[in-house]
Amino acid sequence: MQADTLSPFAVLAEWKTGNLEDLVHLGIAAARARQYERGLVFLAEAYRHLGRENHRLSAPLLSHYGLCLALHRGRIKEAIEYCTIGLDRDRFNADAYHNMACVWFAGRSRRKAVEAIEKGLSLDPNHKGLLQLRQDIGVRKSPVIPFLHRDNPLNVSLGKMRARMRAKKAGAGTGPGGKAGTGKGPGRPVR
């Protein structure tokens, strides 16, 4: 959890129009730029104004507010609630799934983060944030015997065997020192 370093009054001075939609856009832009403290200031102010009219709270506002709350303040449980409400309001928003996945990952729930990533990618297969997050988290291979749990000793043993076989197969085309060729030494052409 990071300490607050920005003055809310200074941050809100950037909101010159007085229009609540602009305030939400400033908060979402800050969150997307990974400026979570700035985003939290803008979105908290928008939430404060719009919270009286609950129907006006948009899915992007709620999910980005949850993201900022988790990644700046470390309040994962509360952030999950906001992201969930955001998803309830718009199930077809890949950004909301991205925010939910980031919150789950910050909360150390890899499985739920992966589920959110997959749901988001089913809506938008080219979503850069979701693709990057999936790459950062990593994707596990499916169990060798799918109807058994991946922690089943049989799946664990067979999975290790499969990994050794793949490593052996990948290394079969290389000579000594890991270089492709005939093994006659580096730089010698194959004749």
Side-chain angles (χ1 to χ4, degrees), residues 30-185:
R32 287 182 176 159
R34 297 181 182 202
Q35 298 171 348
Y36 302 115
E37 184 179 1
R38 283 183 76 239
L40 191 58
V41 171
F42 288 131
L43 295 171
E45 185 68 14
Y47 187 83
R48 190 175 68 80
H49 286 290
L50 295 172
R52 296 181 197 107
E53 303 169 43
N54 193 12
H55 65 281
R56 290 187 60 196
L57 293 172
S58 68
L61 183 154
L62 292 165
S63 72
H64 284 88
Y65 180 72
L67 176 71
C68 292
L69 200 57
L71 297 182
H72 179 66
R73 295 265 167 85
R75 292 167 39 189
I76 305 297
K77 188 175 182 180
E78 191 177 350
I80 289 168
E81 291 174 15
Y82 282 105
C83 288
T84 301
I85 294 169
L87 280 170
D88 287 345
R89 292 186 181 213
D90 186 1
R91 289 267 176 213
F92 302 104
N93 186 337
D95 286 335
Y97 284 102
H98 175 258
N99 294 341
M100 179 64 97
C102 289
V103 170
W104 280 121
F105 191 58
R108 295 189 172 104
S109 181
R110 184 184 183 285
R111 180 182 55 80
K112 290 186 178 184
V114 169
E115 287 173 7
I117 290 169
E118 296 307 318
K119 286 179 184 175
L121 286 173
S122 70
L123 296 171
D124 182 1
N126 298 318
H127 190 281
K128 290 180 183 179
L130 288 168
L131 291 171
Q132 181 63 49
L133 189 56
R134 182 171 69 177
Q135 182 179 350
D136 292 346
I137 290 175
V139 178
R140 296 170 85 176
K141 292 179 179 52
S142 61
V144 178
I145 304 173
F147 59 86
L148 293 177
H149 192 273
R150 70 174 52 257
D151 294 334
N152 183 294
L154 189 57
N155 259 336
V156 171
S157 297
L158 290 173
K160 287 179 182 178
M161 189 183 314
R162 175 175 64 183
R164 282 193 303 266
M165 288 173 56
R166 285 186 178 165
K168 193 174 188 179
K169 193 177 203 179
T174 62
K179 302 206 187 265
T182 62
K184 294 181 184 178

